[in-house]
Amino acid sequence: QVQLVESGGGTVQAGGSLKLSCVASQAISVDCEMGWYRATTSNERARVSEREFVSRQWSDDTITYAEHAKGRFTLSRDKVNNILYLEMTALKSNDTAVYYCRANCRGTVYWGQGTQVTVSS
């Protein structure tokens, strides 16, 4: 069964840090590309195409970041335990969103249910 389960969200003050985790089921191969996206509105939450890119690890292990994440967020992946992480620092109020884990396995895309991050000013 394909499953992506995010955790680690919560409420934090501006300037604080959070580390998100995404546990992938064994059906998600370590060869799958994985990344993080976020949604700030109900429309974005409902429509995967509207979600904002945050960071992604490509099949060659290259990692790319959105401009808003560069220098503040760090993506890492534990391929032994099949867990994807997103460490977020210097959080801002406009980072408030539901953060989603995404896996792309040879063109088939899977999404987790999301974890809420709220940054209070």
Side-chain angles (χ1 to χ4, degrees):
Q1 182 180 0
V2 176
Q3 198 170 18
L4 298 170
V5 179
E6 303 96 333
S7 63
T11 300
V12 64
Q13 288 191 329
S17 301
L18 281 174
K19 187 173 183 177
L20 307 183
S21 301
C22 170
V23 179
S25 63
Q26 289 187 343
I28 300 292
S29 164
V30 293
D31 295 328
C32 295
E33 296 175 349
M34 293 188 70
W36 291 93
Y37 288 69
R38 68 186 187 183
T40 57
T41 68
S42 58
N43 194 47
E44 291 173 355
R45 288 191 289 273
R47 300 173 67 172
V48 297
S49 60
E50 300 289 332
R51 294 173 183 175
E52 183 181 33
F53 169 71
V54 177
S55 181
R56 176 175 176 172
Q57 184 178 47
W58 298 83
S59 57
D60 63 355
D61 290 341
T62 300
I63 296 173
T64 56
Y65 296 94
E67 284 299 317
H68 64 77
K70 286 181 181 178
R72 300 189 301 127
F73 295 0
T74 303
L75 182 145
S76 60
R77 187 172 177 182
D78 176 355
K79 289 190 174 183
V80 172
N81 296 298
N82 218 6
I83 303 173
L84 185 74
Y85 298 101
L86 183 69
E87 187 156 13
M88 306 186 293
T89 63
L91 284 162
K92 307 172 183 179
S93 57
N94 58 8
D95 291 318
T96 294
V98 177
Y99 284 74
Y100 295 90
C101 179
R102 175 185 184 270
N104 183 338
C105 303
R106 298 187 178 186
T108 300
V109 176
Y110 305 97
W111 292 89
Q113 290 301 304
T115 184
Q116 175 71 49
V117 171
T118 302
V119 184
S120 60
S121 56

